[in-house]
Amino acid sequence: MQTTPVRWTTADLELFAGDRRNRYEIIDGELFVTKSPSWDHQSSCGNIVTVLNNWSDQTSLGKAAIAPGIIFSDSDNVIPDVVWASHERLKNLLDEAGHLTGAPELVVEILSPGEKNQKRDKETKLKLYSVQGVQEYWICDSIQKKVEVYRREQAALKLAATLFGQDELTSPLLPGFNCLVSKLF
């Protein structure tokens, strides 16, 4: 007897609405459950959103946010750690409830401990963000103090650079933006 795997949908997430101890995401109908992020993880999120919003305040080009939900489809509903979207793109991405319904230009994930968590960010989410049209994806490793930068090249996100503590992070998406990688952790 063959069993069919359960395909989760955005509506199914309502089952977990009262659970504040875990984070629930759906990618290609598969449910991913992770513990709430640690203090250091959230501290890095705060550092990243701060440097992005400081640059955004100077340029008036967009906004960054921590842990916004992105509902790409009924079977793809994720919570990236940080996103940045231009004002132009943002006005077309938000639904009436204020959730993103499409790809922001930049998505940032901070690796959580555990092989399963890292595989999700480095493989499953990389593929999802690539297919959905994210322009740039940063995978931040707070243990090794490094950032892997993926940029859209020929319709897919490809590794463009691996940067460490004293390296300067820049982006063609963010004209004039620069930050030492060590400032993110």
Side-chain angles (χ1 to χ4, degrees):
M1 184 170 170
Q2 186 176 358
T3 59
T4 313
V6 173
R7 286 201 45 89
W8 293 82
T9 68
T10 297
D12 294 324
L13 293 177
E14 289 300 316
L15 297 168
F16 311 110
D19 184 355
R20 299 283 179 230
R21 295 172 56 172
N22 294 301
R23 181 181 282 190
Y24 297 88
E25 298 177 293
I26 299 171
I27 303 173
D28 194 24
E30 183 180 347
L31 180 65
F32 291 84
V33 182
T34 55
K35 292 180 183 175
S36 293
S38 70
W39 177 274
D40 288 341
H41 185 280
Q42 290 304 89
S43 179
S44 290
C45 288
N47 293 343
I48 293 165
V49 83
T50 297
V51 297
L52 287 169
N53 276 331
N54 286 344
W55 173 85
S56 293
D57 288 346
Q58 293 171 356
T59 63
S60 299
L61 292 178
K63 270 186 155 171
I66 295 175
I70 304 178
I71 305 168
F72 289 118
S73 69
D74 199 35
S75 60
D76 290 306
N77 186 329
V78 294
I79 306 170
D81 291 319
V82 176
V83 302
W84 181 88
S86 66
H87 292 302
E88 182 180 322
R89 194 170 211 173
L90 192 57
K91 67 183 174 188
N92 297 316
L93 293 180
L94 295 174
D95 66 12
E96 57 281 346
H99 295 105
L100 294 170
T101 59
E105 285 95 335
L106 172 65
V107 173
V108 182
E109 295 285 2
I110 297 154
L111 295 177
S112 293
E115 187 178 327
K116 192 173 182 180
N117 291 327
Q118 292 185 13
K119 182 176 181 179
R120 183 194 62 242
D121 289 347
K122 290 182 166 200
E123 295 176 21
T124 309
K125 283 189 171 183
L126 173 62
K127 180 180 175 186
L128 175 67
Y129 296 147
S130 188
V131 167
Q132 292 296 332
V134 169
Q135 298 298 303
E136 194 161 303
Y137 179 37
W138 300 349
I139 299 176
C140 300
D141 183 332
S142 58
I143 303 297
Q144 294 187 33
K145 307 288 190 244
K146 74 174 184 179
V147 177
E148 292 178 350
V149 177
Y150 292 82
R151 292 196 176 113
R152 182 156 296 284
E153 180 183 309
Q154 299 176 349
L157 289 169
K158 306 275 178 156
L159 183 62
T162 301
L163 306 172
F164 293 90
Q166 293 308 306
D167 292 329
E168 189 173 76
L169 177 60
T170 62
S171 171
L173 284 177
L174 312 170
F177 172 84
N178 64 349
C179 175
L180 282 178
V181 168
S182 61
K183 298 285 185 191
L184 304 179
F185 303 108

